[in-house]
Amino acid sequence: MYKYIIRRILVFIPMLFALTIIVFGLAQLAPGDALSGKSLADPNVDPEIYEQQREALGLNDPIYVQYWNWISSAAQGDFGNSLIFNGRSVMELIEARFANTLYLGLFSLAITIIVAIPIGIYSARKPYSMLDYGATGFGFLGLAIPNFFFGLIAIYVFSINLGWFPSQGTLSSPGVSGFDAFTDRIHHMVLPGITLGLAGTATYMRYMRSEVLDVLGSDYIRTAKAKGMSERNVLYKHTLRNALIPIITLMGFEIGVLLSGAVITEQVFQYPGLGTLFLSSVMNRDFPVVMAIALILGILILIGNLIADILYSIVDPRIRYD
Amino acid sequence: MLKKKWLLFFVLMLSVGFVLAACNEDDSSKEKENKTQAEGGDDGASGEPQKGGTITGAMDTAPAGVFNPIFYEESYEANILDFTHESLVSQNKELEFEPHLAKEWEINEDQTEITLKLEEGVKWHDGEEFTADDVVFTYKAMSTPGYIEAGGIRSSEYAERLLGYEEFSKGETDEFEGVVAEDDYTVTFKFTEPNVTILKDVGFSIIPEHIFGEVPIDEMPEHPATLNPGEVIGTGPFKFTEMLEREQYVLEKHADYWKQEPYLDKIVWRVVDQSVMLGLLESEEIDFIADPSGVPAPDYETASGIGHVEIIEQPDFGYQLMGFKINHRKDADVEAGKIEPDNWVPNEDMSEQKVRQAMAYAIDREALVDNLLYGHGSVINAPIAQQFWAYDEGAATKYEFDPEKAKALLDEAGYKDTNDDGFRETPDGKEWVVNLNYPTGNKLREDSAPILEKFLEDVGINIDLRQPKEMTAYQEELEKDNSDWDLYLLGWSLGSGDPDPVGLWNATAPYNYSRWNNEESEKLLKEAVKTPEAFEQEYRAKKYSEWQSVFSEDLPALLLYAQNKIYAHNKRLNGINPMPYSYNNEPENWWVSE
Amino acid sequence: MHTNLESSLPTGPENAPIDQQYQHKTPFQLAYQRFLKNKLAVVSVFVLLAIVIVCISAPLLTSQDPIETDVFNIEKSPTDEHILGTNGQGQDNFARLLYGGRISLIVGFSAMFFTLVIGVLLGSIAGYYGGKVDSIIMRGADIMLMLPFLVLVLTIMAVIDKVTIGLFVTIIALTSWPNLTRIIRATYLSLREQEFVLGARAIGASDVRIIFKHFIPNAIGPIIVNATLMMATYIIVESGLSFIGFGIPQPTPTWGNMISEAQNIRILRDHPEAWIPPGLAILITVLSINFIGDGLRDAFNPKSNRR
């Protein structure tokens, strides 16, 4: 097992390397650079100044020189300075956003699990009941609504008209701390969290339902029931454990989907996370930030996949890695 | 199987219900419309100013986060710095310079020197005394070698003309002669040449020497006193004390402010998406919407319909234009970054003056303003902000909407439809297609492009409306004009310091994207700043008036419209008195009534 | 099991037990029969068909030009002439809804088609030949999957100078093949050692023949199911990209860019006619595609309990 993990991690390195080359190439191919967008903002600034800054930043160097400069400092953990945020350190910019996105992701995952699993189980136990129909209907709808659209309507209804939840940001003021800060943060994450988790909830709900149905119909459960085990016992001892296996695996791979969704959801709610930062950095050609985020996401997804594989082998001992 | 039908029915009902629930919610904004509309800013000022209170403003994008006047770049950061930092002089509503941190000044005869007496007893936020050394330091920092490389962009505007700038900024000498402290409260600026814009040049925000004095210039942008709330030090009426980065920026009153103690305790800036701003103003979660975007013109009705909201509307400093690429540069010049009018190649059809004029007559700019801007803007004919003394409405050709005249001009120039395809051909009978390029990033401008296309096609010009590009990509192609571009859309926001249009329309100016080269214009622009005549504003006004006439006749660009700034605030907020160039004026006088 | 082998049908372990009455029918016929029993899916086929027909016959239903701007009719409420009002450029919303449907459906369909071609091709090669080719393709897929889909798409879109429908579709297809490739490959791996394949190989059938005759028919179930679900996803993806400004650019109408114009309280509140129709159109289209996809899954895989 350990050997397997180490081998997997060793494979990561060339893959991450390839990833940086691809993203760097794309970032450089894009027309214009970080300073070209700035220069139209203020006609009182002599464009010559931007030319001097370009030279100083090495933006006029050949692409392989720029890549080498980037990769050699990145290897030492230095991701350089942002070109758009007036030269602020990339790491510092990403740090706070990363935490925000992480909270949002975890929160929406929590909603997904809390909603999807019980309802999925209930639907499977009482198929064709009212709730089952409701849940299935919701499941289909959740997959059919573009999440930005859902977010816009949620803001309009729950934030503007009803005033139940804030529509912007992560906290109501910089002063809050302690437990208040925690509840405040949750309060701010309700709308974006639901929006982000919508599609996931729908998917998991349907998965859970069908997995439980599959397990309930299988021979060993029938045997267990025949042996006189109580309904409850059958459900919790056998059914759930087996039905959860695919769900757990799915979640490891779900990180990428969640992060994709975050790009759009964060935009709708002006939520200061990695998604909004990435989007604005791509648009403004802030390649040091783009590179750093791509690298971080790449590592996250690789780790997510690895954990999923490991968990899979733990819950299902038939699977072995060596 | 019956059950599946039920499911289908259920799903459809749910979807319909969901959408309906979302759209038939309240019409409160409409109900309130019959209440009195507030225009102008005189009704709220009733009663004595009260102390205390917190107000919240909204801006649609977060500041980049560099709160140091010599390194900040954008208007969102300015929304903080306007409250925290001050300059020696400021501008009044007529755009005349007035005393601020400097209480009086004297300019020598040939306008190469200005000596300013500073206010005494001005305290920095940390309690230190403000002196002439701070002024010297600020200008010295902008002239220091490495300033530009560290990310500074203000030197060309404020430092370049100072005496000895060249030598000092190249590191050839350690002695900075440009700004000299005579004593603690007297400072003299010296310029290489007679300076027509001398008061503008001394009007830069001052940073504290006692904080940054020992900091190397390349470390200044990352210094805590540049980045962190509580450590940013200025002399302004408010201190920047707290922030939730990208979300909230808190300004607290500077009790020792030299003019008077500000009334308000706190001003909080919240970063809020444009789309929900009005909703928050209505629910009183925010109190004012100000620079840089203000309330979008289409939302004016909604905003003015809110009972507790007062609106202030004024012209913006800037304009949108449709430029004609009159000339293109050669590849070699673009490669080398040279702007050499003698090497330019005329862009065949756009270099024809009559064609440009015809296009101007073909476009109904009044209609753009009335419909696209909902009337909240104006048609201008010369590229000088209309607030300036230099703007001369009368001097410019008006180009009122006249498609017949447009057609006649095109006929005259030889552009006729010879093959009856509905579009005109070039004088030598070839197919004539004019491309129109535009950037994304400004909704109204994006909307205007296809409308312009239609106006031009109505007079028989075949327009190739190109796909909009992001600003970064757009700028690159716009600047490197060895392409096939004919028409381009662009907006400029101008400075309020001086009306001189030379940076945008001089033949060799990089921003002269039309690559317009007109001898008379060159001559007038030079004369307008020629000393000693140009020390008289009247003389300059006359020259600019002549220049505006030349510009509008030769027409390197058609000015489409100047938008209005629409500011909105809660009526409980009093003492708001925006300057033509900024909302953030004298915030120490703002107060709230309960 | 053994009786099935006699019927020369290439059969995987998945659909081994088959009711007696279906004995003489091909898997397609069987699937077809099972599909017909799923009323929801059948209704969805007709709904989708209706939407397609309405969009195709757009010129018959409206005389308005979806691209024509009108400065004197900006953001107008519905009138007889503009039955759904006009947008911020004075374009007719109803015409944009119909013509936009064409684009949305074309984008969804052709992106799905190209993904399918790439995915099936690479998946077949990887799964059939294995070895070096397999590991090259799968490493490629791994690298593509290292970035979240949207992040990858945005990075590529930023490079593109002029976004056309074709280019947009290509980018979507080029960034989303890995998942399908993995599925196909896995199916092939399980088939590779099956007796009928070994048999075919033993009698000297060519690779292409084996792939087309034995592999693809066996993998067709997952392929078709994935294809329908992909098409639904792509319609949603296009709208999301439109929202953040990376979709099919103006003036081309799509349902996506129509609803993303509603990112403003004023339009949400005052002009529901501008965004509800395209919103419903996306909703209903995606719903029916998903129902059809579900129906197909049940049809091809009768053991599944998913509805």
Side-chain angles (χ1 to χ4, degrees), chain A residues 12 14 19-21 27 38 59 85 94 100 103 137 141 161 165 169 171 181 193 198 203 210 249 253 272 278 281 297:
Chain A
F12 285 177
L19 180 79
T20 60
I21 291 180
K38 282 186 185 183
L59 296 182
F85 289 91
I94 289 181
N100 283 339
Y103 295 147
L141 271 182
N161 281 336
F165 300 104
L171 285 174
L198 187 66
T203 316
S210 69
T249 339
F253 296 109
F278 182 80
S281 303
L297 296 185

Side-chain angles (χ1 to χ4, degrees), chain C residues 113-176:
Chain C
F113 183 77
F114 285 124
T115 315
L116 215 58
V117 170
I118 300 174
V120 169
L121 202 70
L122 291 179
S124 301
I125 294 172
Y128 185 81
Y129 293 103
K132 270 238 171 65
V133 201
D134 177 35
S135 62
I136 290 174
I137 291 175
M138 292 329 284
R139 282 300 83 71
D142 286 344
I143 291 175
M144 301 287 276
L145 286 171
M146 262 165 73
L147 278 188
F149 173 68
L150 261 185
V151 168
L152 189 61
V153 171
L154 289 181
T155 317
I156 297 176
M157 291 290 263
V159 181
I160 307 300
D161 201 32
K162 188 172 182 220
V163 182
T164 59
I165 296 172
L167 216 51
F168 183 86
V169 164
T170 312
I171 290 171
I172 299 287
L174 284 180
T175 43
S176 45

Side-chain angles (χ1 to χ4, degrees), chain C:
Chain C
M1 258 299 224
H2 289 287
T3 46
N4 273 339
L5 271 182
E6 287 162 18
S7 67
S8 87
L9 277 175
T11 328
E14 282 292 303
N15 33 7
I18 293 179
D19 294 343
Q20 287 295 316
Q21 56 178 94
Y22 295 142
Q23 273 284 327
H24 312 293
K25 294 183 175 152
T26 67
F28 267 111
Q29 284 168 323
L30 296 179
Y32 179 65
Q33 281 186 350
R34 281 192 292 258
F35 185 82
L36 282 187
K37 286 198 168 178
N38 187 333
K39 291 284 185 305
L40 197 59
V42 175
V43 169
S44 297
V45 169
F46 285 107
V47 171
L48 189 64
L49 220 57
I51 292 175
V52 170
I53 290 169
V54 166
C55 291
I56 289 174
S57 49
L60 304 176
L61 297 170
T62 176
S63 55
Q64 298 285 338
D65 181 336
I67 291 172
E68 178 101 356
T69 59
D70 182 357
V71 70
F72 299 103
N73 271 309
I74 284 175
E75 268 184 32
K76 284 284 166 351
S77 295
T79 57
D80 287 345
E81 195 186 351
H82 304 286
I83 58 175
L84 291 178
T86 59
N87 71 1
Q89 302 176 359
Q91 294 160 325
D92 181 67
N93 278 333
F94 184 62
R96 288 182 79 75
L97 178 69
L98 299 182
Y99 287 93
R102 290 182 175 186
I103 309 289
S104 291
L105 290 169
I106 288 173
V107 165
F109 182 81
S110 41
M112 175 268 280
F113 183 77
F114 285 124
T115 315
L116 215 58
V117 170
I118 300 174
V120 169
L121 202 70
L122 291 179
S124 301
I125 294 172
Y128 185 81
Y129 293 103
K132 270 238 171 65
V133 201
D134 177 35
S135 62
I136 290 174
I137 291 175
M138 292 329 284
R139 282 300 83 71
D142 286 344
I143 291 175
M144 301 287 276
L145 286 171
M146 262 165 73
L147 278 188
F149 173 68
L150 261 185
V151 168
L152 189 61
V153 171
L154 289 181
T155 317
I156 297 176
M157 291 290 263
V159 181
I160 307 300
D161 201 32
K162 188 172 182 220
V163 182
T164 59
I165 296 172
L167 216 51
F168 183 86
V169 164
T170 312
I171 290 171
I172 299 287
L174 284 180
T175 43
S176 45
W177 57 267
N179 274 321
L180 188 67
T181 303
R182 282 188 161 180
I183 294 170
I184 305 284
R185 173 177 172 272
T187 316
Y188 278 26
L189 285 182
S190 71
L191 289 175
R192 210 158 59 167
E193 306 305 322
Q194 297 275 313
E195 288 153 45
F196 64 90
V197 175
L198 295 176
R201 221 175 254 159
I203 58 169
S206 73
D207 290 352
V208 175
R209 191 184 152 79
I210 293 175
I211 288 179
F212 277 95
K213 195 85 193 178
H214 298 295
F215 279 44
I216 292 188
N218 268 290
I220 200 84
I223 291 177
I224 289 182
V225 171
N226 270 291
T228 44
L229 298 180
M230 263 189 310
M231 180 165 167
T233 313
Y234 291 152
I235 292 178
I236 302 245
V237 163
E238 192 278 325
S239 75
L241 284 171
S242 273
F243 174 74
I244 48 177
F246 283 82
I248 310 263
Q250 291 281 11
T252 312
T254 68
W255 287 340
N257 61 30
M258 282 185 82
I259 42 174
S260 59
E261 278 170 21
Q263 42 179 305
N264 181 310
I265 298 298
R266 178 185 74 252
I267 294 173
L268 276 177
R269 179 157 35 192
D270 301 343
H271 294 286
E273 75 278 356
W275 58 268
I276 291 182
L280 273 182
I282 286 193
L283 198 72
I284 294 172
T285 307
V286 173
L287 267 182
S288 28
I289 295 176
N290 279 340
F291 284 143
I292 295 171
D294 256 38
L296 288 172
R297 182 178 15 227
D298 292 349
F300 283 106
N301 185 9
K303 251 181 68 187
S304 125
N305 286 303
R306 299 174 182 103
R307 261 181 298 181

